[in-house]
Amino acid sequence: MRILTGIGVSPGVAIGKAFVREPQKFNVQCRHIETHTIEDEKNRFFDSIKKTVQDIEHLITTLSFSIEDQEILETHKMILLDPELEINVLGEIEAELVCLEFALYNYFTGVIDVFDNMENEYFSQRAIDFKEVAHRLLNYLSGETDAYIEELSGEHILLMEEMPPSKVTEFAAHDVPGICAVKGSKTSHSAIIARSIGIPMVIGIPNLLKKAVEGETVIVDGRNGLVIFSPDEDTLKKYKKYRWRQIKHKDDLKYLTGKPAITRDGVRIKILNNIEFPKELDLIKQNGADGVGLFRTEFLYIDKKELPDETFQYNIYREIAEKLHPNPLVIRTFDLGGDKLSGFLNIKQERNPNLGCRGIRLSLQYTDIFRIQLRAILRAAVSGNISVMFPMITGLDDYRAAMKILRKVRAELVAEGIECSESLSVGVMIEVPSAAILADQLAKECDFFSIGTNDLIQYTLAVDRDADNVARYYSGYHPAVLHLIEITVNSAKKANIPVSICGEMASERDFIPFLIGLGIRQLSVSPSMTLITKEQVMKLDSNALAGIIPEVKSRGSITEEQEYLKQWRTEHEY
Ligand code: PEP
Ligand code: MG
């Protein structure tokens, strides 16, 4: 048995046979051509572009999951149809008398090298796009195809160097139960798509492909970030049991779709969803959530060739709101770090991007971009079920500065005679300790709170949420985190404003009794966690929860909190 540790980016357990997909190397020979065959090479160029574009268009119309997938494929199409590609490749064939494959190889490796050597995430994503396009083209020319995808089935765990976001849905369509990759991050598109669909995924394992043996049994533990090769009998039995329970559980939970989450003593808890892409709406419908508690709009900006304009955003917000109506749609203004927008803005690389110009700070610095988004939101919000919230608020100054812009934007729309919402409800994400500490003051001015525990843990404990070498310090059980949540909820109660949780904690079994016990009535979770969260809530009796809070407050360490919350679960058969 060999256990490799990585970062679990999509929870759940998958068991199957290792299907190792080595990174495709361009194996291109330089073949010299005669002058009289230049035209033939050119024709092969146009033919390969045409065929590859057709393949991509076919995928765009047949892939049904995500608009994001489709946009990635549209980007690939644009790369293929970019005049630069044609000029450079045909130019080299003619000038150097080399074959098409070699000219393509030179063009793509040149572009990929440039992007690969840039540190920021935006540009490294661009390199992935160019690599995918180069593979498609060269595969077509060499007669190789992505035929391996056809071989995939429900018994294969896919192990790759990096997971192209445009492929995750294809893998899901072949029932691939689990995915592992050498590279990636928790917030990479492929990780987000895997989470939404519910495929367990572990990334960040440097020697994954070297250590894997094709066809051997492998377990992916997406919750704990483990990949276990050739598990011993006990381990396999344990995980099989877990997996069986997981599958059975999923089936057993189907009856909850569309049912409201009500505790045993009749308290209604709203289970909302966190979404990143508009197409996730289908998943919301499938799982019967009560609306969207967090729309992470930054995904409308990331990896785009140009900034999304007002009409584009308005159409998306309006469409989602209409489909959800009368259920709510909470739009978070873009929570981008400078690195993610550096493709558009002249922003210096920051030493600590998480502590730098991100979230509302970036919006307040680049007000033109912020104003466009606010215009789109205010216009769409005439639907009546949209509200907006600001990320990374540290206190009243941030909130008031953002509100000043919002009011101004609304006044401009009114002056232009454009219909917009007069009564948009405006909330604050509580994800920085200072905002939690000052929640009393914020609650007097804003309309609702949404507690972002993912960042609240990161900033309270000074631990990078994505760094595996300090992962053991990142814990929601830390008494300081629980204390800040309590302060926030109490401030909201005092001011009589709603408060929800939209971080991962909202769907974690240990924490739900504590959160409901505090008085939380809205949990916003990933679509794939909707039914399981409903089930947890429905097992609870809110009267039995009152005792949890003083107990939690009396404990001073992570271990003690964890032990207590787990023990509570066991005692209450929860
Ligand atoms: C959070 O920080 O808890 C949150 C929900 O926002 P994100 O994960 O997008 O930072
Ligand atoms: Mg956050």
Side-chain angles (χ1 to χ4, degrees):
M1 177 161 89
R2 284 134 34 236
I3 303 178
L4 304 184
T5 309
I7 306 167
V9 293
S10 178
V13 164
I15 304 172
K17 301 265 171 251
F19 189 106
V20 184
R21 180 76 188 151
E22 292 289 345
Q24 246 182 317
K25 297 251 176 336
F26 299 127
N27 188 12
V28 174
Q29 308 290 335
C30 175
R31 182 169 54 82
H32 281 282
I33 60 167
E34 306 289 332
T35 326
H36 68 271
T37 59
I38 289 177
E39 275 317 297
D40 293 345
E41 289 307 285
K42 285 188 179 178
N43 287 339
R44 288 178 63 229
F45 171 79
F46 291 118
D47 171 60
S48 63
I49 296 287
K50 190 171 152 204
K51 177 68 182 59
T52 315
V53 167
Q54 277 170 359
D55 284 353
I56 289 179
E57 280 171 346
H58 175 71
L59 282 174
I60 291 174
T61 48
T62 51
L63 279 185
S64 62
F65 170 64
S66 146
I67 262 190
E68 190 63 18
D69 287 333
Q70 298 179 357
E71 283 177 359
I72 291 165
L73 291 167
E74 289 287 355
T75 310
H76 292 182
K77 215 171 107 181
M78 277 157 68
I79 294 174
L80 284 163
L81 299 174
D82 185 353
E84 280 291 303
L85 170 67
E86 183 179 325
I87 293 166
N88 279 287
V89 171
L90 297 190
E92 182 164 2
I93 292 174
E94 215 162 325
E96 307 295 330
L97 290 177
V98 290
C99 65
L100 169 63
E101 287 82 349
F102 193 68
L104 283 170
Y105 171 82
N106 277 345
Y107 173 76
F108 279 105
T109 42
V111 179
I112 292 163
D113 266 2
V114 172
F115 284 135
D116 261 349
N117 287 326
M118 294 182 179
E119 266 181 23
N120 88 40
E121 210 181 308
Y122 174 84
F123 289 115
S124 59
Q125 289 286 339
R126 298 265 63 76
I128 297 177
D129 287 333
F130 277 89
K131 279 181 204 167
E132 272 203 83
V133 172
H135 281 137
R136 281 189 196 280
L137 268 175
L138 291 167
N139 279 350
Y140 170 70
L141 288 165
S142 66
E144 263 190 54
T145 57
D146 275 346
Y148 77 96
I149 294 181
E150 295 307 317
E151 286 171 40
L152 289 170
S153 71
E155 66 163 15
H156 290 127
I157 302 286
L158 194 58
L159 311 172
M160 293 184 94
E161 177 75 15
E162 60 191 325
M163 184 61 50
S166 66
K167 292 271 182 346
V168 180
T169 319
E170 277 187 77
F171 300 148
H174 284 83
D175 298 324
V176 168
I179 297 173
C180 311
V182 176
K183 296 182 187 166
S185 78
K186 214 166 196 158
T187 49
S188 65
H189 284 171
S190 27
I192 286 165
I193 295 171
R195 260 200 310 276
S196 274
I197 308 179
I199 302 185
M201 180 168 174
V202 176
I203 54 148
I205 313 164
N207 290 319
L208 176 71
L209 303 187
K210 283 197 198 102
K211 298 207 170 153
V213 177
E214 185 79 34
E216 74 177 322
T217 302
V218 52
I219 298 171
V220 183
D221 176 348
R223 187 178 174 78
N224 298 307
L226 301 177
V227 181
I228 305 170
F229 291 105
S230 296
D232 60 31
E233 223 171 280
D234 282 351
T235 309
L236 188 61
K237 218 158 116 193
K238 182 180 106 186
Y239 274 103
K240 271 191 174 161
K241 211 161 133 195
Y242 187 92
R243 171 90 192 117
W244 182 82
R245 268 197 261 129
Q246 195 178 282
I247 295 169
K248 177 159 176 331
H249 201 187
K250 225 173 170 174
D251 283 346
D252 289 351
L253 291 180
K254 285 206 176 115
Y255 81 99
L256 288 175
T257 315
K259 280 214 166 86
I262 299 176
T263 61
R264 279 175 21 215
D265 56 323
V267 179
R268 170 81 160 95
I269 308 293
K270 293 236 165 103
I271 311 294
L272 303 149
N273 278 169
N274 298 343
I275 60 164
E276 290 80 19
F277 310 117
K279 264 291 179 92
E280 281 171 290
L281 270 182
D282 297 345
L283 295 170
I284 298 182
K285 291 254 154 70
Q286 267 169 37
N287 295 313
D290 294 307
V292 168
L294 166 66
F295 178 18
R296 293 181 162 109
T297 59
E298 52 274 18
F299 287 89
L300 302 177
Y301 297 74
I302 295 171
D303 292 348
K304 296 293 178 299
K305 281 215 148 40
E306 48 194 46
L307 288 168
D309 65 17
E310 182 181 324
T311 312
F312 173 81
Q313 292 191 54
Y314 165 71
N315 286 335
I316 287 180
Y317 303 149
R318 201 194 52 178
E319 190 194 333
I320 301 179
E322 273 171 8
K323 287 195 177 147
L324 287 174
H325 202 274
N327 284 333
L329 164 63
V330 183
I331 301 178
R332 175 173 76 185
T333 57
F334 58 83
D335 182 11
L336 291 162
D339 55 333
K340 307 238 170 53
L341 274 188
S342 53
F344 307 109
L345 310 170
N346 196 12
I347 299 177
K348 239 181 37 223
Q349 192 83 31
E350 291 174 310
R351 281 163 66 104
N352 290 311
N354 277 329
L355 303 181
C357 190
R358 79 166 265 212
I360 198 67
R361 299 174 186 175
L362 193 90
S363 303
L364 294 175
Q365 193 164 330
Y366 294 91
T367 49
D368 286 352
I369 306 176
F370 190 39
R371 287 181 59 259
I372 289 171
Q373 182 172 39
L374 293 178
R375 279 177 70 95
I377 295 172
L378 279 163
R379 286 176 55 201
V382 290
S383 65
N385 58 336
I386 290 183
S387 45
V388 68
M389 63 182 179
F390 303 127
M392 283 286 290
I393 292 283
T394 54
L396 277 175
D397 300 279
D398 293 339
Y399 177 70
R400 286 179 183 159
M403 281 307 288
K404 196 168 159 194
I405 298 175
L406 181 80
R407 282 193 211 99
K408 210 161 156 223
V409 167
R410 183 189 283 127
E412 281 164 12
L413 285 167
V414 172
E416 290 167 36
I418 298 174
E419 199 188 8
C420 66
S421 167
E422 304 247 308
S423 54
L424 179 70
S425 144
V426 184
V428 163
M429 281 204 70
I430 304 291
E431 52 184 348
V432 179
S434 60
I437 293 165
L438 297 177
D440 256 349
Q441 295 176 12
L442 284 162
K444 284 187 194 137
E445 299 197 18
C446 73
D447 298 317
F448 64 93
F449 285 155
S450 184
I451 307 178
T453 49
N454 304 342
D455 276 316
L456 189 62
I457 298 170
Q458 153 163 278
Y459 293 124
T460 305
L461 305 179
V463 52
D464 184 336
R465 62 194 254 185
D466 288 328
D468 48 347
N469 59 341
V470 285
R472 67 182 187 283
Y473 293 100
Y474 184 92
S475 171
Y477 294 101
H478 196 294
V481 174
L482 300 176
H483 185 56
L484 290 175
I485 294 175
E486 190 200 8
I487 294 178
T488 308
V489 176
N490 287 343
S491 305
K493 275 193 209 159
K494 213 158 78 188
N496 204 16
I497 60 167
V499 53
S500 64
I501 303 271
C502 63
E504 297 300 315
M505 241 186 179
S507 54
E508 286 180 28
R509 196 150 76 142
D510 278 357
F511 294 113
I512 294 175
F514 168 74
L515 298 173
I516 308 284
L518 270 182
I520 294 275
R521 296 294 176 257
Q522 295 184 34
L523 299 169
S524 195
V525 305
S526 168
S528 60
M529 298 303 286
T530 310
L531 295 182
I532 204 158
T533 310
K534 266 192 201 179
E535 190 203 30
Q536 304 299 339
V537 164
M538 289 165 91
K539 281 187 196 162
L540 291 172
D541 181 335
S542 74
N543 298 314
L545 303 177
I548 292 185
I549 311 305
E551 287 291 341
V552 163
K553 283 169 80 167
S554 71
R555 285 166 171 76
S557 78
I558 295 178
T559 325
E560 284 166 4
E561 294 294 20
Q562 191 165 10
E563 270 168 12
Y564 170 69
L565 289 170
K566 281 194 191 306
Q567 182 197 331
W568 189 93
R569 274 212 285 122
T570 324
E571 276 171 14
H572 291 78
E573 293 173 16
Y574 168 71

